[in-house]
Amino acid sequence: MSFKSLLTLILTLTASNLVGAVPASRPVKCPDGQHTVQNQACCVLFPIMEDIQDNLFDNECGEDFHESLRLTFHDAIGFSRKAGGGGADGSIITFSDTELGFHANNGVEDIVNAQKDVISRHNISAGDFIQFAGAVGLTNCPGAPRIPFFMGRPNAKAASPPDLVPEPFDPIDKILARFNDAGFSPREVVALLASHSTAASDNIEPNLRGVPFDTTPSEFDSQFFLETLFKGTAFPGEGNPAGGEVKSPIAGEIRIASDQGLARDPRTACDWQEFATNQPKMSSEFGTAMLKMSLLGQDKRKLIDCSDVIPQAKALKVKQAHFPANLTRKDLELTCKKPFPTLPADPTVTSVAPVPPAEDS
């Protein structure tokens, strides 16, 4: 080895060691004396989180949380590489007079008004609050991932352009194209739909409220992906003019037409089946896709990482999806050709009760 080469190697190793030796920023104690964070600016979030949990969610994975998680999406997806829009900027609250008039936002007015009340008590932008509430509330659901949270979204400057929120009865081609315009792949779309694991319908089918999409609406698990694969029948009601509601073979459960389609579409069926049988992967990829969605339209470099404020969710007691009573692998409608593993059965699960309404609704 030449002297020049040796000198280059020594300088490279020295520089590497110096980089590795830079100490991480020291945690700081918040003024309340109870919490510690990496960035003191994040301390303001703890009283907001307490207010959210006590007065909005009641510390439960219930209806107000379900609607808040829905709102994170309805606000953030107002972003288009073609049509513009501010993305996750809180415009659905700031310009609610406009955006609540969009057909796809039907049903979110109650949670918009509930969140406005909490926001009025704190110094936080609507964009930050919507995503923070979603990340905090998610931790009330066993099995949920810990979503990183970045603070500092400026106030929205304008309402979202219309027609950017996909509808439950949209054709699969239209849904995937809309998400592609916002920067999401088909697999990321499937990952985001894990949110339906803790969801229920209030307005898809007339006169039915709080109808869950799976038998465990208070748990963030892969049961939703499995149960969407069961063969269903057209819903025997007035339905939507576009058609497509699907009655699950499980009593008390309903299925969105677009979920039914994505679970069987050749572009997404294998992803769907994988998430049905792999809870850790489903949870992890949902967390990654949710973070990406929460930053739509934002410059992450200008935001403060306050992820250490978000608590951890409890672990699931049952970590694998299971067949409800009287249903077996023969009842699945599988279009992906990959092998489907053997899953356990729970004969005690015969139906699912409606999700109780929010106290203020």
Side-chain angles (χ1 to χ4, degrees):
M1 179 183 293
S2 67
F3 175 77
K4 183 177 180 180
S5 299
L6 179 61
L7 180 61
T8 300
L9 177 61
I10 292 172
L11 291 173
T12 301
L13 290 174
T14 301
S16 299
N17 289 335
L18 286 173
V19 171
V22 174
S25 59
R26 292 182 178 181
V28 294
K29 200 92 169 181
C30 291
D32 62 9
Q34 299 178 15
H35 300 99
T36 301
V37 291
Q38 290 294 322
N39 191 316
Q40 192 167 20
C42 302
C43 291
V44 299
L45 293 172
F46 288 106
I48 301 175
M49 178 164 62
E50 184 177 359
D51 196 353
I52 289 171
Q53 290 285 43
D54 292 347
N55 300 310
L56 187 61
F57 298 154
D58 294 323
N59 293 285
E60 295 178 352
C61 182
E63 179 66 3
D64 274 322
F65 159 66
H66 298 167
E67 291 303 310
S68 289
L69 187 60
R70 181 185 177 196
L71 196 64
T72 65
F73 167 71
H74 280 247
D75 185 53
I77 201 64
F79 170 83
S80 167
R81 291 183 286 193
K82 299 176 182 177
D89 62 355
S91 65
I92 198 168
I93 285 180
T94 306
F95 295 94
S96 58
D97 288 348
T98 297
E99 293 196 31
L100 292 183
F102 299 162
H103 184 267
N105 288 333
N106 179 33
V108 303
E109 51 276 345
D110 285 347
I111 195 61
V112 164
N113 290 328
Q115 289 201 7
K116 279 183 179 180
D117 287 342
V118 183
I119 291 171
S120 69
R121 298 193 288 269
H122 302 280
N123 183 20
I124 186 171
S125 71
D128 276 350
F129 185 86
I130 290 173
Q131 300 304 324
F132 183 60
V136 168
L138 193 65
T139 66
N140 294 337
C141 309
R146 187 169 181 249
I147 308 296
F149 173 71
F150 291 81
M151 181 179 72
R153 293 166 183 78
N155 293 321
K157 297 180 179 179
S160 164
D163 303 323
L164 294 185
V165 181
E167 301 257 25
F169 304 98
D170 282 345
I172 303 304
D173 286 348
K174 183 177 180 180
I175 291 173
L176 294 180
R178 171 74 273 272
F179 273 100
N180 179 65
D181 178 34
F184 289 88
S185 68
R187 184 176 178 90
E188 288 174 317
V189 174
V190 176
L192 285 171
L193 287 173
S195 61
H196 286 179
S197 171
T198 61
S201 166
D202 280 339
N203 51 28
I204 293 176
E205 189 61 30
N207 304 317
L208 292 179
R209 290 181 61 84
V211 186
F213 299 146
D214 74 358
T215 52
T216 56
S218 294
E219 296 180 349
F220 189 88
D221 59 12
S222 53
Q223 200 65 29
F224 159 73
F225 286 100
L226 174 65
E227 293 176 13
T228 309
L229 290 169
F230 290 131
K231 299 169 186 175
T233 56
F235 199 85
E238 295 179 16
N240 183 287
E245 300 99 331
V246 178
K247 184 180 180 183
S248 167
I250 303 167
E253 186 176 291
I254 198 171
R255 187 177 304 162
I256 294 178
S258 53
D259 290 345
Q260 167 94 357
L262 286 162
R264 291 154 178 79
D265 189 278
R267 293 163 289 187
T268 49
C270 289
D271 298 324
W272 198 282
Q273 291 178 204
E274 183 180 1
F275 290 154
T277 59
N278 193 328
Q279 160 71 22
K281 181 173 283 292
M282 180 210 78
S283 181
S284 174
E285 294 198 29
F286 171 78
T288 301
M290 270 292 293
L291 173 61
K292 180 177 178 178
M293 186 181 71
S294 75
L295 295 172
L296 282 178
Q298 306 301 311
D299 186 346
K300 184 180 175 183
R301 296 168 299 180
K302 297 180 180 179
L303 303 180
I304 301 170
D305 187 351
C306 292
S307 302
D308 51 0
V309 173
I310 308 298
Q312 292 280 0
K314 294 180 179 179
L316 284 170
K317 293 181 179 178
V318 179
K319 301 182 183 300
Q320 190 175 27
H322 54 270
F323 286 100
N326 304 318
L327 292 169
T328 68
R329 192 183 186 284
K330 293 181 180 179
D331 296 297
L332 295 175
E333 201 168 34
L334 304 176
T335 57
C336 174
K337 302 305 180 183
K338 292 183 180 179
F340 195 86
T342 301
L343 296 176
D346 187 345
T348 67
V349 179
T350 58
S351 63
V352 57
V355 174
E359 289 186 3
D360 295 330
S361 63

